[in-house]
Amino acid sequence: MHLQKEAKQKIIRDIIVSLFLYTLPVILMFLSFYITGKKPWLNQQKKNAATVVHH
Amino acid sequence: MPPRLFIIKIHIMLKIIESIFHNLSVWGLPVLMIIVGIIEFSFGLYEKKWNRNELILDITCFVIPRIILQPLTVYFTLKLLPVILPGLKGTFSWVPFWWAFFIIAVADDLTQYWYHRLHHQVPFLWRFHRTHHSAPYMGMSMASRQNVIYTIFFSQIYLTAALVYLGLGYAALFVTGIKSLITLAAHSSIPWDKPFYKYKVLHPIAWVLERLISTPATHHAHHADSFDDGVGNYKGNFGNMFFIWDVIFKTGIITRKYPQSFGLKHYKQEEWYAQFAWPLFKSRKEGSELAADGPMVGDELQVNRSKSTGEESYETLQKAELA
């Protein structure tokens, strides 16, 4: 018993759409950083650097 | 109210919410399930269909995965992830809370949608998920009812564990808590969504709600044993927390009605151990999908309908929207 050809095609098509959906929140997040000019990853780098100096 | 006092009050409230979600993830959800299950049982919502075989199966599925899965995910997070993703622990902890929330919600639930959908649409996988559909009733007792192999390979658990390892753990606490509450409420035999369909003033909320998250109406339709009433859609309505995936991929129907009967038309009341641990244990029931020489998919109708599910479901969805 195998998967019907049409069902298989629909699954592949939907998986491709899903790949876009997975990346959508990340794309929107970086778009919001671009618009607002925020760079929160720099705070993390500063924190890490401070930790290294402290040690 | 002075602004400082207001900020302190907000801070206390957030701490309380955090504590609620933390307790939910540790012990709250199983206790909630037991309490709601007792209420359902005392109101006779299992309609005397909860025989000894079903009872043992439901209790086994409630207890054993909690014992197996927790150490397994802890091992995966603490031992395997540092090997698979070396030096990346906490790399993305700078991601703001609401973005982390959004990223995990989509990653976790969309993965579960696919895991679930493929177990219905790929004949080879069906028997690993069949146990969840064999219950002839809805409610807390069957919400955890899964084959143990299906549970162990629950793909989104490992994806979320990886995101936690990468630094999104705080948001994951809230996403997994909210998701568990929505999926449990969708399995419950208490139709909490009914007032939204009954009162016209609530219809706009219902319209959004039923497209966004799983409700008893849409999820009960997924557990129906037939398509014939125009309500059941056991080859669709795959969404767990979000129903929006079913809307996007046209695998869902929304009728605002509840099916009359649940389970599988070809259910043979297979032994609880075969349902729990197939293919490690096989059923002795002749012709069963779980028997040694049983068919891969017992319900031929199920297979024939699978190829047209998408278009057909969307047509019905459109009809429901027009109604």
Side-chain angles (χ1 to χ4, degrees):
Chain A
M1 197 174 290
H2 297 289
L3 192 61
Q4 303 272 358
K5 197 182 166 191
E6 281 170 57
K8 199 174 173 179
Q9 281 171 346
K10 183 161 165 46
I11 286 172
I12 293 168
R13 213 167 48 229
D14 290 351
I15 285 176
I16 293 166
V17 175
S18 296
L19 293 177
F20 169 71
L21 291 172
Y22 275 115
T23 55
L24 191 62
V26 181
I27 293 168
L28 289 176
M29 180 177 72
F30 280 106
L31 188 69
S32 79
F33 293 155
Y34 179 75
I35 293 166
T36 58
K38 284 181 184 169
K39 292 176 180 174
W41 57 90
L42 293 179
N43 299 338
Q44 175 80 4
Q45 282 172 1
K46 275 181 201 166
K47 247 187 228 173
N48 291 346
T51 314
V52 170
V53 170
H54 185 71
H55 282 290
Chain B
M1 189 189 296
R4 196 178 154 77
L5 191 66
F6 179 72
I7 291 168
I8 291 170
K9 279 194 173 178
I10 292 281
H11 186 72
I12 292 169
M13 213 167 75
L14 289 175
K15 281 285 165 201
I16 292 169
I17 293 170
E18 185 188 321
S19 159
I20 289 169
F21 276 91
H22 182 71
N23 284 301
L24 266 181
S25 70
V26 178
W27 58 270
L29 280 168
V31 170
L32 197 68
M33 284 177 79
I34 291 169
I35 293 169
V36 177
I38 290 169
I39 294 169
E40 288 173 336
F41 185 75
S42 55
F43 277 90
L45 295 172
Y46 296 144
E47 296 166 344
K48 293 176 187 170
K49 286 170 183 165
W50 212 29
N51 62 30
R52 193 169 170 271
N53 191 50
E54 308 296 339
L55 178 98
I56 297 172
L57 177 60
D58 289 345
I59 292 173
T60 306
C61 291
F62 182 76
V63 176
I64 303 291
R66 278 179 172 77
I67 298 167
I68 296 176
L69 212 61
Q70 209 147 354
L72 201 69
T73 44
V74 169
Y75 179 80
F76 177 75
T77 311
L78 299 181
K79 295 282 178 189
L80 289 183
L81 281 173
V83 177
I84 300 166
L85 305 167
L88 293 178
K89 190 178 177 187
T91 304
F92 297 107
S93 54
W94 55 265
V95 174
F97 174 79
W98 285 110
W99 284 113
F101 185 93
F102 190 24
I103 290 167
I104 293 185
V106 170
D108 184 294
D109 200 56
L110 184 56
T111 306
Q112 190 170 354
Y113 167 86
W114 274 108
Y115 188 69
H116 186 198
R117 177 172 162 183
L118 291 175
H119 277 79
H120 279 275
Q121 295 190 331
V122 177
F124 166 74
L125 294 174
W126 161 243
R127 285 176 289 185
F128 292 103
H129 182 51
R130 179 190 189 274
T131 305
H132 190 58
H133 283 270
S134 64
Y137 45 84
M138 289 299 288
M140 285 304 100
S141 67
M142 52 68 69
S144 310
R145 179 169 163 148
Q146 295 284 7
N147 176 288
V148 72
I149 308 286
Y150 183 92
T151 305
I152 289 172
F153 287 97
F154 230 34
S155 46
Q156 83 282 352
I157 291 173
Y158 304 102
L159 178 68
T160 304
L163 292 173
V164 169
Y165 173 80
L166 292 171
L168 307 184
Y170 188 62
L173 174 73
F174 296 93
V175 174
T176 50
I178 292 169
K179 183 182 172 183
S180 301
L181 290 174
I182 291 173
T183 49
L184 286 179
H187 281 95
S188 169
S189 56
I190 301 164
W192 62 263
D193 53 338
K194 221 173 189 172
F196 291 97
Y197 314 138
K198 191 176 172 187
Y199 301 107
K200 211 174 175 183
V201 68
L202 296 175
H203 282 185
I205 300 172
W207 194 93
V208 176
L209 205 66
E210 65 198 358
R211 278 159 185 78
L212 184 65
I213 63 166
S214 277
T215 61
T218 53
H219 200 69
H220 284 205
H222 175 68
H223 281 270
D225 63 357
S226 165
F227 287 102
D228 298 341
D229 55 3
V231 177
N233 183 29
Y234 62 80
K235 274 286 174 179
N237 291 27
F238 302 118
N240 293 280
M241 172 166 63
F242 293 129
F243 193 76
I244 191 91
W245 314 129
D246 283 297
V247 177
I248 292 171
F249 300 121
K250 298 170 185 175
T251 50
I253 65 164
I254 298 171
T255 64
R256 297 188 176 179
K257 288 177 184 149
Y258 307 88
Q260 294 301 309
S261 52
F262 303 103
L264 303 168
K265 284 277 187 210
H266 56 290
Y267 187 38
K268 294 182 187 298
Q269 304 248 332
E270 285 87 352
E271 306 85 342
W272 67 268
Y273 53 85
Q275 295 204 55
F276 179 66
W278 183 91
L280 304 174
F281 297 110
K282 304 262 179 19
S283 172
R284 289 179 189 167
K285 306 270 170 135
E286 204 181 326
S288 162
E289 290 168 327
L290 305 181
D293 55 352
M296 203 179 272
V297 181
D299 184 356
E300 285 303 318
L301 180 70
Q302 212 170 18
V303 179
N304 293 334
R305 292 293 288 266
S306 69
K307 70 171 185 177
S308 58
T309 300
E311 290 74 17
E312 194 175 39
S313 300
Y314 189 57
E315 277 173 31
T316 322
L317 175 67
Q318 286 176 317
K319 274 180 207 164
E321 277 176 342
L322 290 170

